[in-house]
Amino acid sequence: MPDRLMTGAALLLAAWPGGAQQRRPPERLENLTGKTLMLFTPHPDDDTFCCAGTLAQLARKQNKIYIVIYTNDDKGSYDPEMTSERLARIRMHEEEEACRIVGIPKENILWLQFHDGMLEYANSRDLVEQCTGLIRKYRPDVVLGPDPGGEYVRWHKTDHRMAAMNTIDAIRAAEWHLYFPNQRLHDHLEPWKVPMEFFYYAGKDANYFVNIDNEIELKLNASAAHVSQFDPSIRHYRADWDPKDLERVKATFRSRSKKDGHYVEGFRSARGFNPQ
Amino acid sequence: MPDRLMTGAALLLAAWPGGAQQRRPPERLENLTGKTLMLFTPHPDDDTFCCAGTLAQLARKQNKIYIVIYTNDDKGSYDPEMTSERLARIRMHEEEEACRIVGIPKENILWLQFHDGMLEYANSRDLVEQCTGLIRKYRPDVVLGPDPGGEYVRWHKTDHRMAAMNTIDAIRAAEWHLYFPNQRLHDHLEPWKVPMEFFYYAGKDANYFVNIDNEIELKLNASAAHVSQFDPSIRHYRADWDPKDLERVKATFRSRSKKDGHYVEGFRSARGFNPQ
Amino acid sequence: MPDRLMTGAALLLAAWPGGAQQRRPPERLENLTGKTLMLFTPHPDDDTFCCAGTLAQLARKQNKIYIVIYTNDDKGSYDPEMTSERLARIRMHEEEEACRIVGIPKENILWLQFHDGMLEYANSRDLVEQCTGLIRKYRPDVVLGPDPGGEYVRWHKTDHRMAAMNTIDAIRAAEWHLYFPNQRLHDHLEPWKVPMEFFYYAGKDANYFVNIDNEIELKLNASAAHVSQFDPSIRHYRADWDPKDLERVKATFRSRSKKDGHYVEGFRSARGFNPQ
Amino acid sequence: MPDRLMTGAALLLAAWPGGAQQRRPPERLENLTGKTLMLFTPHPDDDTFCCAGTLAQLARKQNKIYIVIYTNDDKGSYDPEMTSERLARIRMHEEEEACRIVGIPKENILWLQFHDGMLEYANSRDLVEQCTGLIRKYRPDVVLGPDPGGEYVRWHKTDHRMAAMNTIDAIRAAEWHLYFPNQRLHDHLEPWKVPMEFFYYAGKDANYFVNIDNEIELKLNASAAHVSQFDPSIRHYRADWDPKDLERVKATFRSRSKKDGHYVEGFRSARGFNPQ
Amino acid sequence: MPDRLMTGAALLLAAWPGGAQQRRPPERLENLTGKTLMLFTPHPDDDTFCCAGTLAQLARKQNKIYIVIYTNDDKGSYDPEMTSERLARIRMHEEEEACRIVGIPKENILWLQFHDGMLEYANSRDLVEQCTGLIRKYRPDVVLGPDPGGEYVRWHKTDHRMAAMNTIDAIRAAEWHLYFPNQRLHDHLEPWKVPMEFFYYAGKDANYFVNIDNEIELKLNASAAHVSQFDPSIRHYRADWDPKDLERVKATFRSRSKKDGHYVEGFRSARGFNPQ
Amino acid sequence: MPDRLMTGAALLLAAWPGGAQQRRPPERLENLTGKTLMLFTPHPDDDTFCCAGTLAQLARKQNKIYIVIYTNDDKGSYDPEMTSERLARIRMHEEEEACRIVGIPKENILWLQFHDGMLEYANSRDLVEQCTGLIRKYRPDVVLGPDPGGEYVRWHKTDHRMAAMNTIDAIRAAEWHLYFPNQRLHDHLEPWKVPMEFFYYAGKDANYFVNIDNEIELKLNASAAHVSQFDPSIRHYRADWDPKDLERVKATFRSRSKKDGHYVEGFRSARGFNPQ
């Protein structure tokens, strides 16, 4: 009786006090090889800031990684001369560079094209349908997304809330052929059940940590590719770093970011129903 | 100074650190007799899976129980030949059978007729109005609904989120005659304050447990009435159970579902304001 | 490298386990002088019930305080003869009186004019835009709002949920000139980054307490100005208190509301990103 | 090849220049006997003002007439002391009295309970579903509604626009069992094709006139039952007429309202597709 | 029995074939003096292109004219280097210059701040409320707006459709104190019945023409102030005109724009209900 | 001064009585060769029923024709055993067969995948964006769509209204690069101005007729491919025709569908602004 098919039984267990044991993934995320991963990110940089070390390991191990980006990040500048059209262009190129450093080709970046900060006001039914179609098309072995947990309700940028919710809702819908049946009929997309899910921005709910001691410099470089998002470029745009500024930012991170003496990236791991 | 009338005072206490003591219900839920209960469920089976044992006790004790079902569950099948129209029909009959086993006549099942997975996209103002009208009509002594708590923000099926929120919002609106005043004018429905609320799917927030040692077999039978939701029927629909499959499912539950040596159903109990 | 400008670095830290240290405010809220504060409240009384003691201290110290009120509270009466139009008028005068007692002139009360209980159904994009404009206009040193945390997901009045979310979303949008750029163009409103935020209704997440031992009687008087919200006026409207009723309500609060022997008001304090 | 079944052929004809001949109804509307009619009206009085003479003839001839009223008309008073709650009550009683005069029992008045002027902002999908259910329940031989034509786009009260559109959309949906299939499943409502439709408020598009010379005084009396909508009651509410005011209003109508020497009520008649 | 108060009678007449005679305005629009006029325009130029000649006459005669502009026109450029932020700034200055030429001070321009082409997707209830508040505040003797008639359903820019509908809906709502009653309570705005309405963009429905033979050059100059909307500036932005281009555009208009040998501006005039 | 660039001048002319002369297309639609045409149709059959004869001529002349289909037509059957999932499959195959007969390969059919009758409730902003992207991708020389005119406001199937409006709104938006600028940034789609537009279902507004005397039998065959939409298949589904039924349907059309002795298809032709 394979776990993924016994829905009624799973729900029944979920309804029971202590009944819905959350199964651990069978192997370490970072050890996967030859798989397909799909990461949903609210903006072009949450993927880098949260997961660059893990992604770099996975890219090296011949996994195919798709980055689905909900918004174009066209609002995040204090430069009074900046316009949204120009910032969107800048952010696209910065993301492509960050992905290149991590090992993901720019053809694998899928832009959903929402405006920064406006994802919350998207039509949620249509957004679920769109992402369901992507999951059914790429059939990922692992989906990564922002955690729809405690942080979710407080998060200070609305896009994170919507991205977190929408991603798990699309995962759920992708599994059943009667959701959005026109995708099967007209696009020949078959249903797909995502076997593993990892959630970043999990805060104190993180239950899964990937050691990135070997990728820390790569991650800082990839993060630094988002130069427009750091001082001083965020105040008066410049496309490059003053080496002193860059080194100071990196030093801050190197000094503040260790957990138990190691650099890590934290996730919440869950399978099937997604308990508290 | 009866508790239910001093709204200002209650709010003022709620605003004070430690001020809003959550009162326990005056008597045990499962000991009620001759009362009216109203259970709101996202799908036709959450009521069975979460509350069948408790409901069976209450049905035996001459309580009147109404089951309000938000959706028709017309998406939950892996059978490639299944259609939504057919599945809705199957799910309706399975729910009626599960209720029959629990002791609830099918006349007491109220279908709100949303499509499975689409409740999230309903017009929330209208949905609150509709459920407010039902509460004012049936005037229940107890309302049961899914818990709008920690699980809510993570729950993997959007209908649960909306059902949890909508039910507490309708409870609140039903109390005040100036909400949806046309219901009083045109339908002769008077306001109604729900005295007790119990929330299922409470996860680790459950604070109230009902012993169902005597109802465990009845509950497993009621749950098994939802045959289309279990393997193998969920993969290739059949209306009945292979006895071996059924026994294996039941055995799984009997072995996994005890808390402190007893079968229980867990709830969060709350009155009035509904604190953390 | 001032904290408020290094957005990319802040996000990057937020993404790291344990990385996003929440800075404490540099001085005590209640010690501020000559500043501008802006409090967003779902209804005309949440400000009084949650913050009157703190606000009274701040008003005495020459701070300018604006109260932004989302709804007009026109549903909260059990009096069968009450109408919404009349109740809105009563509630407006009660709020003005409560503010007068606290030390806030009625010119500083800004009514957003939503109907009670209907804020949830407002257009959230427009509501964020409206409050963003207010923040850019008044440029507050501190914003107070309902806490969008654990209580939020359970809160029994929908207006609280929407007010909590909307306030933090407006704080975020106000900072960036590319959000709602027409406000700069047509209204000459410049972006504004709110330096400090305090959240009330924080429940067990409160991490900041203001001693109001000296303001307790003033607070009870301000609260009592909302006479229509207390028994018996809430059942059969009367504009004044029977002295015995008033004294009994006050006594209840005096006896129940102490924390460690003191009267306090509790808040959650946060800066910038708003972690769990 | 019965007309009502050859949908493809009808559409094909409609697509052809001059091809979609609009069939005239087989017999005069006012000569029907023993039939069921359903009139959809934006407010409680459009039915009276537009159709009272025709309805009175039909009521006399043993036809069953249902009046479906979209809104409660709770805004239409210049009296500064009037409230919406009170006005809704007044308008309900006036409509019941007008219907009584026409010959329609108050049990046949179905209130959809929208607020005056707010129908435009209703959820149109849900509104179509609701009215589809009513048509399937009462299975009318004739539906009357406001004309969704030239007047529609200019009409000065939004409720008229929405009521006109919604009524024809519900007529269309009622015919096909795959629209809102839960109504068949859970409510046992079968699809229903409305055989005849007449549209009032047709302006210069009216193509069908009913002589009401014998009902003119009855119609003026029924119209006068809406006393709150006429001067002076509309400025300062009074429940009755000064006889002189009443006679003056009636005289105005008697003198202005003839067409070719007769009192008539004008409609646009259409069947099936509803051409220009 | 003043016309404006007998609502019931007016509706009753409207329901009668030929009954709702459309009254002509008591005096010529262009002869008004010392009045308040309010013109609602979808974009900053429809007012100039449609009404500059008439407005110039009215401005000269000491009428107070307010221009309410729904959108900021931030999309209308073929220049590939143009951004929306910059175009909005350009369009604002062009409109201010056009108004200056017509004789309207820039303080009288009220920007509603919607983005070009996005008015259709605004929340229509909120938009009516906003414009209702403006009408109640300025209490205009005349409102001018785009015609919600035949052109409306075909018009090629969605903003025109929404602006036409919204303006008449706001006129209607402004009259009744029970629409948006919080405006009276919190903003001290009293209801206001607009006495006269003129609709521009009336196409072949125009029934009222204003001779602008004396204002034709002024109108061409005001129109030319919108230089970014004309070739060649629309293809490659420049802030000024090549004199030859300007003369050619003016010549085109002088030669094509006469009706019966005169330059005129056409309107549809209507009062109260707004018939076909 | 090319017509298509002088937007300001065009609008200014449009504002003038008689000023906006509607230019006729430079050559006959049916004589085009080697061009790209794009037809937007509400359902899979409106294209066949309205335009099959014209399309067949164009297909023969080496024009590339794309058919964009808004809905999947999954509601139109009286067969009580029919389900939406099955009907959608049937309708897709029927449309592919009809297109094959006309000369359009099935790769050129683009399904937007809305459910039948539900287009009205789609998010209109997103729908315009989606169709704008298609126009920018295929860069058609001619767009055909349902006429948003007089028929539009009365049409008995809501999808026609929405399809008519949405198509002209997408044509307008496609022209300006500042509409949906992410399409240029992320999808490399450049703006595109559609040079010619023809509207079908124009009713009495048709001003352009294409002789299809030579294509009448082909058109009847293509129409007959939609067998599920004709009696008797619409009542009890069968995939083929009884030859006698087919001949009777064809005979009806042959006899009723001539205009001035010829078979024709009627359109309204318009360019640029789209006047009454």
Side-chain angles (χ1 to χ4, degrees), chain C residues 158-171:
Chain C
T158 58
D159 302 331
H160 289 222
R161 293 196 293 259
M162 187 74 159
M165 276 305 179
N166 188 73
T167 303
I168 58 166
D169 288 354
I171 289 170

Side-chain angles (χ1 to χ4, degrees), chain C residues 124-183:
Chain C
S124 57
R125 189 206 151 286
D126 293 352
L127 191 58
V128 169
E129 181 170 12
Q130 185 177 17
C131 292
T132 298
L134 291 174
I135 291 173
R136 288 173 173 173
K137 178 174 178 189
Y138 293 104
R139 307 174 79 74
D141 300 288
V142 182
V143 165
L144 299 103
D147 191 18
E151 294 283 356
Y152 150 82
V153 298
R154 288 211 170 123
W155 196 267
H156 215 223
K157 285 191 92 163
T158 58
D159 302 331
H160 289 222
R161 293 196 293 259
M162 187 74 159
M165 276 305 179
N166 188 73
T167 303
I168 58 166
D169 288 354
I171 289 170
R172 178 246 328 161
E175 175 180 352
W176 305 98
H177 70 87
L178 292 170
Y179 277 90
F180 312 122
N182 287 331
Q183 295 186 340

Side-chain angles (χ1 to χ4, degrees), chain A residues 78-79 153-154 158 161 229, chain C residues 5 8 148 169 175 177 205:
Chain A
Y78 299 109
D79 185 338
V153 298
R154 286 209 170 126
T158 57
R161 293 196 292 261
Q229 301 302 293
Chain C
L5 290 177
D169 288 354
E175 175 180 352
H177 70 87
D205 292 333

Side-chain angles (χ1 to χ4, degrees), chain D residues 122-147:
Chain D
N123 183 298
S124 56
R125 190 205 151 286
D126 293 352
L127 191 58
V128 168
E129 182 171 11
Q130 185 177 17
C131 291
T132 298
L134 292 174
I135 291 172
R136 288 173 173 173
K137 178 173 177 188
Y138 292 104
R139 308 174 79 74
D141 299 288
V142 182
V143 165
L144 300 101
D147 191 17

Side-chain angles (χ1 to χ4, degrees), chain F residues 79 94 227-228 232-234 236-243 245:
Chain F
D79 184 339
E94 292 177 348
V227 57
S228 73
S233 185
I234 200 169
H236 184 71
Y237 176 68
R238 51 179 285 181
D240 56 356
W241 282 95
D242 181 306
D245 284 333

Side-chain angles (χ1 to χ4, degrees), chain E residues 17-18 30 44 49 60 68-69 89 107 129 141 157 166 169 188 218 242:
Chain E
E30 65 271 36
F49 293 163
R60 258 199 330 266
V68 184
I69 303 183
R89 216 175 317 128
E107 295 74 34
E129 181 170 12
D141 300 288
K157 285 192 91 163
N166 188 73
D169 287 354
H188 313 296
L218 179 151
D242 180 306

